[in-house]
Amino acid sequence: MTDSWERARQVLVSAGLPPDRLADCRPLTGGTYNTVEELRLVDGDRYVLKIPPPETVPGLRHEAQLLLSEAEFYRAAGTVGVPAPSVVTLGDGHLLMTAYPGDPWDDSATGAERALLRGELGGLVARLHEVTGPAFGYPSGALGPLAPDWRTAFTGMLDAVLDDAVRYDAWLPVPADEVTRTLRGAYDALDEVTVPHLVHFDLWQGNILVDRSVGAPRIGGLIDGERMFWGDPVADFVSLALLGDIRSDEAFLMGYQEAGGRVEFDEATCRRLALYRAYLYLIMLTETVPRAVGEERVKWAREVVGPALVGALDDLPPAHRPY
């Protein structure tokens, strides 16, 4: 019996499930941080098991205790009926959750199918944004306690990833101190956010399951909520239009607004959106070092993510920029 099987059996025991019902244990691909496995029981029930890397594995500061945040996301999503896994057990070093139907969204959908899916997704995200939290920031406590205001929480998140960039000597298209100076010129826009809402912050297509089992494709579930935080709903629009502009996604925005989502891309909102874009692109560039990604991925990050970060900084108020 392999170590994976033995670990899976122990987790089933902790969840109150008979270990002898385990029929299959196989790795799932697509993740870049946690080990993810599918557990299939003899009666056909399916579960997903996540195991974080050892504490000795290098990572970014906000990545500590990611499974706590993921469990919180699923709990919160369930309160508004958004399809997402249910937590079976959250233990010391593992998260066991139910599996959801579908496969990660790929490019096989027709134009009409994509429009319907984006509209449905917009409605689901609007429902997520109905959920409010106790305060602002990462519920994992990775960067400290939740903050009473969004400016304190988010500037702390930016400071942490910039510290990571310096600590790992990550390549940035602009020196870290100049990035900091530019970002600070837009911090006043953060003060408009006064209520902490549920933000997934990693809703690129790979974390959206599409179910094609019956009829037209539908959203099967939203997964990998480990990057969630309590904050500004506008922050979700970054990964939802990864390296693009959500304002051109008419189907999504229509679904979002029809479901009660509210967004007006005024000057302050666009400044906040640029801040959130910068935050995500800083993460994507910095994590290439502790992840030890290959040369091809590093090249892509420099050629694609680097200019995207510069573009986000250029969308902020003018500062003393030597680039």
Side-chain angles (χ1 to χ4, degrees):
M1 183 176 298
T2 66
D3 291 342
S4 293
W5 272 72
E6 182 57 35
R7 179 176 60 200
R9 289 170 60 87
Q10 292 175 1
V11 169
L12 290 177
V13 170
S14 71
L17 298 169
D20 56 2
R21 292 178 60 196
L22 181 64
D24 191 22
C25 173
R26 67 182 185 91
L28 296 178
T29 60
T32 61
Y33 190 71
N34 297 299
T35 297
V36 187
E37 297 171 340
E38 181 188 63
L39 310 186
R40 189 181 296 270
L41 306 190
V42 293
D43 57 6
D45 287 347
R46 296 166 52 239
Y47 299 90
V48 174
L49 173 63
K50 276 195 172 184
I51 306 293
E55 293 183 359
T56 55
V57 172
L60 306 187
R61 284 179 54 194
H62 77 274
E63 291 177 327
Q65 301 296 322
L66 283 179
L67 296 187
L68 293 178
S69 292
E70 183 159 8
E72 178 68 359
F73 174 79
Y74 297 142
R75 180 205 65 77
T79 66
V80 287
V82 169
S86 298
V87 175
V88 179
T89 178
L90 174 64
D92 183 17
H94 77 266
L95 172 64
L96 183 68
M97 67 198 91
T98 57
Y100 250 73
D103 298 300
W105 190 336
D106 57 25
D107 295 327
S108 63
T110 66
E113 289 174 338
R114 176 176 172 79
L116 288 173
L117 287 169
R118 294 300 293 183
E120 182 184 9
L121 179 62
L124 294 177
V125 174
R127 282 154 60 183
L128 287 181
H129 291 169
E130 294 174 3
V131 184
T132 57
F136 294 93
Y138 287 111
S140 65
L143 301 182
L146 295 175
D149 63 272
W150 180 227
R151 185 196 283 229
T152 298
F154 187 66
T155 57
M157 292 157 67
L158 282 169
D159 288 345
V161 73
L162 285 164
D163 287 346
D164 286 330
V166 172
R167 177 163 56 100
Y168 286 118
D169 194 23
W171 177 88
L172 298 178
V174 180
D177 58 344
E178 297 300 335
V179 173
T180 301
R181 185 181 307 169
T182 302
L183 295 174
R184 284 176 177 166
Y187 283 175
D188 60 317
L190 299 170
D191 295 334
E192 290 199 354
V193 181
T194 58
V195 178
H197 292 267
L198 177 63
V199 178
H200 184 290
F201 203 61
D202 201 14
L203 283 173
W204 67 292
Q205 288 190 175
N207 289 338
I208 301 167
L209 299 180
V210 175
D211 183 10
R212 297 176 175 273
S213 61
V214 180
R218 298 291 305 273
I219 303 295
L222 306 183
I223 61 173
D224 286 353
E226 61 196 17
R227 310 284 172 172
M228 70 81 68
F229 53 76
W230 299 111
D232 182 359
V234 171
D236 257 339
F237 296 155
V238 179
S239 60
L240 283 161
L242 189 61
L243 300 169
D245 189 340
I246 196 67
R247 289 171 291 186
S248 64
D249 194 339
E250 295 181 2
F252 172 86
L253 290 175
M254 183 176 296
Y256 184 78
Q257 292 168 347
E258 287 179 348
R262 297 181 180 180
V263 61
E264 180 181 350
F265 292 102
D266 55 19
E267 181 181 353
T269 299
C270 290
R271 289 167 68 184
R272 299 201 311 275
L273 185 58
L275 286 172
Y276 308 144
R277 287 159 51 207
Y279 179 54
L280 180 58
Y281 302 150
L282 284 166
I283 291 173
M284 293 173 68
L285 290 168
T286 303
E287 69 184 5
T288 61
V289 180
R291 298 280 194 282
V293 300
E295 292 183 6
E296 184 176 343
R297 181 71 179 182
V298 169
K299 183 174 183 290
W300 175 84
R302 294 191 178 195
E303 294 181 351
V304 177
V305 184
L309 174 57
V310 173
L313 296 174
D314 284 343
D315 285 342
L316 294 172
H320 298 292
R321 304 176 189 160
Y323 61 91

